[in-house]
Amino acid sequence: MDAQGRENDGRGQGGHVLPDDTVPLRPRLGNHHATPSRAAHDGGVAHPAGEQRAPIPSPAGEPITEPKRSGSGSSGLLKSSAVMAAGTFVSRITGFLRTLVMAAAIGVGTLNDSYQVANVLPTMIYILVGGGALNAVFVPQLVRAMKQDDDGGDAYANRLITLVMVVLGSVTVLCVLAAPLLVHMMSPDIAADPRRMAVTVAFARYCLPTMFFMGAHVVLGQILNARGRFGAMMWTPVLNNILIIATFGGFIWAFGGFTDSRVSPATTTPEGVRLLGLGTLLGLAVQALAMLPYLRDAQFRLRPRFDFRGHGLGRAMGLAKWTLLFVLANQAGLIVVTQLATKAGSLAERAGHSGSGITAYNYALLLWQMPQAIITVSVMTAVLPRMSRAVQDENVTAIREDISHGLRTSAVAIVPCAFAFLALGVPMATLLYAGSDADGARGIGYVLMAFGPGLIPYSVQYVVLRGFYAYEDTKTPFYNTVIVAAVNAAASGACFVLLPARWAVAGMAASYGLAYAVGVGTAWRRLRKRLGGDLDGSRVLRTYARLCTAALPAALAGGGVAYALTRAVGSDALGSLVTLLAGGGVLLGVFVLLAHWMRVSELSAMVGMVRGRLGR
């Protein structure tokens, strides 16, 4: 189910599930208004297409080919990537703090499940209505308008903002009125319990208006990104996270922590629901409004424009049809998993096992996706404009090299992280969620372990699909997503039927990785055919094989140490910290030694780069 990633959403850090394989935020391909110095400042992407590509050192230390850039263009590209990585990292960290405070306030059981179901609704509806099309279709059109229109694309951008606000405003009103039907669709199990249903619907009516501000944040951020201003989109989500942390902190101050209150849908008060709901709404509103100063700094004036006809929006809507189908397939799979996970969590909690429902799934998913969001997304967001120019130049070799570079560079971090989640998932969760009940924290850890190996195909597919998006091909990713969603839904259904309720959600987490493994095989074959039968496969496969060979014994050693220490010192916060530090240290040390012995050049180059920077 391809739609459960988070691509710098500003919302997903709170345990939401968002589409990962919509097109990443794409910098401009060029702008006839840019000066050379401004082009360098904006990320080195405002250069003419058609330039020859010359070998330069990649971050992994091996030469790759990319366009020659005048002045400090390549350094500007690295600067843009660094800004995005830093912003994403801070956003993810504060997002984690946010989930920790949530767990400390309302636990990880049925009340949090109700909040998760209500809070994912606006995300799903926003993506269905137009979120995927904004990224996949309208951003390239916006970039084209900046290049071709006399006003630098300002009028087109204002028409786009106006259209998005009108559509999302209307949809928001309808969805608030239809909140009970939407909750019933997401979880019949919740709908069958009158008290849980009432609480979830109340949460939903506060959360659903956030889709309006979500759309505003995304479209304003895309306008800034098209002008080479990446910081706002990456950093404003931190404000949202801070406000949510303050909201749930206020809940703890007013009603006590979960370990004392044991709050549930049956015991929570209307005042408590109102506090959490209003705080959630305020967080997204502040995140969107915080974009306005950045727009003024970019000399962009917001002006409503209702003259939609004859200005390219209709053509863009026609191109968006495959993206809409893509999103529908994603959301169908998400609904299946949400229904099954909430039902399994309810059954498990009745048997005395908390942390086995949709909250555990979302919290583990959030931690599991961090390496992807910080490493892979940042690498490919900076590389995609190069790939788009290469498509315009019909330079297949350059596209192939960029994809190979993205796969190998990201693998250096992704592969060991995947095995670390498998080996150390439980102490990670028991340390992070020590504020909730111990059984619930362990449940999250088991789900995280099940997610672990799937991080590798999940990251690989993200990179491979960028190749199709560089061609503005949304049809092929749709077909691939149908396969991923179908495999995930079918495997998750099998886990729900065959596994005990306590382990059903862990099985669904493993199904997620299995679905992406199937999807990678399909996407790889199609892209290889599109690029003339070669994707540098032998070199990429060799890198992944060596990294996995180094990571497996490292995970066994680190996991063994962690297991022994857990039995000796326990799984409270201090014991988990000791266990995680010792097990993680062993895992990292063994991995680096084995990878160095096997001469994994990408890792050696990265270690050398880090040493060089620390020595300055």
Side-chain angles (χ1 to χ4, degrees), residues 416-428 445 448-450 452-453 551-563 566 579-580 583-584 587:
C417 285
F419 281 89
F421 289 138
L422 179 62
L424 305 172
V426 171
M428 286 182 189
L448 181 58
M449 291 177 66
L552 179 58
L556 291 173
V561 169
Y563 179 76
T566 298
T579 298
L580 189 58
L587 188 152

Side-chain angles (χ1 to χ4, degrees), residues 470-559:
Y471 283 98
E472 296 189 16
D473 176 2
T474 56
K475 181 178 179 180
T476 302
F478 160 69
Y479 286 125
N480 198 77
T481 298
V482 170
I483 294 171
V484 172
V487 171
N488 189 37
S492 295
C495 291
F496 179 81
V497 172
L498 299 176
L499 296 177
R502 182 184 182 185
W503 302 109
V505 171
M508 295 176 200
S511 300
Y512 194 72
L514 172 65
Y516 274 98
V518 174
V520 164
T522 304
W524 184 275
R525 287 193 298 271
R526 294 192 177 197
L527 186 58
R528 183 176 60 187
K529 181 178 180 180
R530 179 147 200 174
L531 297 182
D534 182 21
L535 264 181
D536 199 18
S538 59
R539 187 182 182 191
V540 170
L541 183 61
R542 185 166 58 250
T543 297
Y544 276 84
R546 289 177 177 175
L547 289 170
C548 289
T549 302
L552 179 58
L556 291 173

Side-chain angles (χ1 to χ4, degrees), residues 390-431:
V391 169
Q392 294 177 359
D393 300 340
E394 299 182 357
N395 191 342
V396 174
T397 300
I399 300 171
R400 183 183 305 121
E401 289 168 347
D402 280 338
I403 292 172
S404 173
H405 165 68
L407 288 169
R408 291 180 292 105
T409 301
S410 59
V412 173
I414 294 297
V415 171
C417 285
F419 281 89
F421 289 138
L422 179 62
L424 305 172
V426 171
M428 286 182 189
T430 53
L431 173 62

Side-chain angles (χ1 to χ4, degrees), residues 341-362:
T342 52
K343 178 66 174 178
S346 179
L347 293 173
E349 188 155 312
R350 291 172 196 164
H353 303 292
S354 60
S356 301
I358 190 63
T359 298
Y361 188 96
N362 282 348

Side-chain angles (χ1 to χ4, degrees), residues 104-435:
I106 60 176
V108 294
T110 52
L111 180 58
N112 206 331
D113 283 357
S114 292
Y115 179 82
Q116 295 292 319
V117 169
N119 211 8
V120 79
L121 275 171
T123 299
M124 291 181 60
I125 297 167
Y126 160 72
I127 294 298
L128 281 171
V129 170
L134 275 176
N135 281 331
V137 177
F138 286 104
V139 171
Q141 298 294 320
L142 182 61
V143 171
R144 188 171 292 111
M146 288 181 61
K147 293 177 64 177
Q148 298 176 355
D149 295 354
D150 293 336
D151 65 350
D154 287 357
Y156 184 92
N158 275 311
R159 291 186 190 98
L160 177 59
I161 294 170
T162 304
L163 178 63
V164 169
M165 295 299 94
V166 169
V167 171
L168 284 180
S170 303
V171 171
T172 297
V173 172
L174 293 175
C175 289
V176 170
L177 295 175
L181 295 176
L182 295 173
V183 171
H184 191 282
M185 174 195 71
M186 290 297 294
S187 179
D189 183 67
I190 288 177
D193 183 334
R195 182 56 184 165
R196 287 186 73 191
M197 180 65 171
V199 170
T200 308
V201 170
F203 276 139
R205 284 187 164 142
Y206 286 110
C207 293
L208 282 165
T210 63
M211 79 175 76
F212 178 85
F213 297 104
M214 194 187 316
H217 178 260
V218 169
V219 72
L220 296 178
Q222 300 289 39
I223 291 170
L224 288 168
N225 282 356
R227 286 159 170 76
R229 305 292 186 92
F230 304 103
M233 196 71 174
M234 301 296 170
W235 287 95
T236 49
V238 176
L239 297 174
N240 177 30
N241 289 330
I242 291 172
L243 281 168
I244 298 299
I245 290 170
T247 296
F248 280 83
F251 186 94
I252 294 173
W253 178 81
F255 302 100
F258 179 77
T259 53
D260 296 324
S261 69
R262 312 301 294 185
V263 66
S264 69
T267 60
T268 189
T269 65
E271 292 79 11
V273 172
R274 189 179 305 119
L275 171 62
L276 300 182
L278 286 174
T280 301
L281 176 57
L282 181 63
L284 264 294
V286 169
Q287 175 180 296
L289 294 174
M291 303 293 284
L292 298 180
Y294 291 94
L295 288 171
R296 286 196 297 268
D297 184 60
Q299 299 181 344
F300 178 82
R301 294 183 178 181
L302 281 172
R303 293 179 177 176
R305 296 285 299 254
F306 294 92
D307 52 333
F308 303 134
R309 292 184 178 274
H311 296 284
L313 290 174
R315 176 178 179 271
M317 290 296 293
L319 292 172
K321 63 181 180 181
W322 290 109
T323 301
L324 176 60
L325 293 172
F326 172 99
V327 169
L328 285 171
N330 274 323
Q331 302 308 295
L334 173 57
I335 291 171
V336 170
V337 170
T338 301
Q339 290 180 346
L340 295 176
T342 52
K343 178 66 174 178
S346 179
L347 293 173
E349 188 155 312
R350 291 172 196 164
H353 303 292
S354 60
S356 301
I358 190 63
T359 298
Y361 188 96
N362 282 348
Y363 282 11
L365 183 68
L366 180 64
L367 178 58
W368 177 76
Q369 287 176 327
M370 275 195 73
Q372 159 85 358
I374 295 171
I375 304 298
T376 312
V377 171
S378 296
V379 168
M380 293 310 298
T381 300
V383 167
L384 187 59
R386 266 194 347 227
M387 294 173 60
S388 299
R389 286 195 296 273
V391 169
Q392 294 177 359
D393 300 340
E394 299 182 357
N395 191 342
V396 174
T397 300
I399 300 171
R400 183 183 305 121
E401 289 168 347
D402 280 338
I403 292 172
S404 173
H405 165 68
L407 288 169
R408 291 180 292 105
T409 301
S410 59
V412 173
I414 294 297
V415 171
C417 285
F419 281 89
F421 289 138
L422 179 62
L424 305 172
V426 171
M428 286 182 189
T430 53
L431 173 62
L432 290 170
Y433 297 101

